[in-house]
Amino acid sequence: NQLYKGTDGKLLFERLGKVVVALKDVPQYIETKQWNKVQGVLTGPMGTLSVTMNELVKNVSDDGVRNKCKALSVDIRKDLYAIALAADKKQVKEALSSFEKAEQKLDKFVTLVS
C-alpha cells in the first residue's frame, strides 16, 4: 500500500485530485436527496482526505503558508462533518451551505499547497 511508503508528492496530489472530482457530485446528490450517495462520497473518496492534507502540509516550507493550510484542513474536515450531519437529518439547505464552504476552502488549500 502506497500510503505507508512515505510522502510522494505526485501520489498525494493525485489523491487530492480524486477527492476534488468526487466532491463535485455531492451537490447533485443533496439536491436530489440521495443521502446514501452523499454519505458514500464522504466515507469513500473523502476517507483519505485528512491524511492526504496532513502529508501535503508537511511538505510546505513557508511557516505562514503551512499554518494557513493546517487551519484550512481543520475547517474543511468540520465542513465535511457538517455535510454528513445535515445529510443524516435530510437538511438540503444546510448540507449545500456546508458543501459550498468546504469546496471554497479546499480550492484555497489546493492553491496554497501547489
Side-chain angles (χ1 to χ4, degrees):
N1 186 337
Q2 287 285 153
L3 181 62
Y4 301 105
K5 293 185 180 176
T7 302
D8 176 351
K10 183 180 177 193
L11 177 66
L12 293 172
F13 278 107
E14 285 174 9
R15 264 197 231 137
L16 191 59
K18 289 178 183 176
V19 166
V20 170
V21 169
L23 195 60
K24 299 286 183 200
D25 292 331
V26 170
Q28 174 187 337
Y29 297 149
I30 293 170
E31 289 167 355
T32 56
K33 299 181 181 179
Q34 294 178 330
W35 304 115
N36 287 337
K37 288 187 178 184
V38 172
Q39 295 293 359
V41 171
L42 294 176
T43 57
M46 298 296 137
T48 61
L49 180 60
S50 183
V51 171
T52 301
M53 287 190 301
N54 289 342
E55 289 297 317
L56 285 167
V57 168
K58 288 179 187 177
N59 294 334
V60 175
S61 57
D62 182 293
D63 288 341
V65 174
R66 187 180 319 112
N67 289 336
K68 287 179 187 176
C69 290
K70 283 181 184 178
L72 282 169
S73 176
V74 170
D75 287 347
I76 291 165
R77 284 193 295 270
K78 287 178 183 175
D79 291 333
L80 294 176
Y81 294 139
I83 294 169
L85 182 61
D88 282 344
K89 295 180 178 181
K90 298 178 176 26
Q91 297 172 325
V92 173
K93 184 178 174 184
E94 290 81 356
L96 285 173
S97 174
S98 295
F99 164 80
E100 289 169 7
K101 291 175 190 174
E103 184 179 46
Q104 289 169 356
K105 291 171 189 165
L106 188 56
D107 287 344
K108 191 172 184 176
F109 179 88
V110 169
T111 300
L112 287 173
V113 296
S114 297

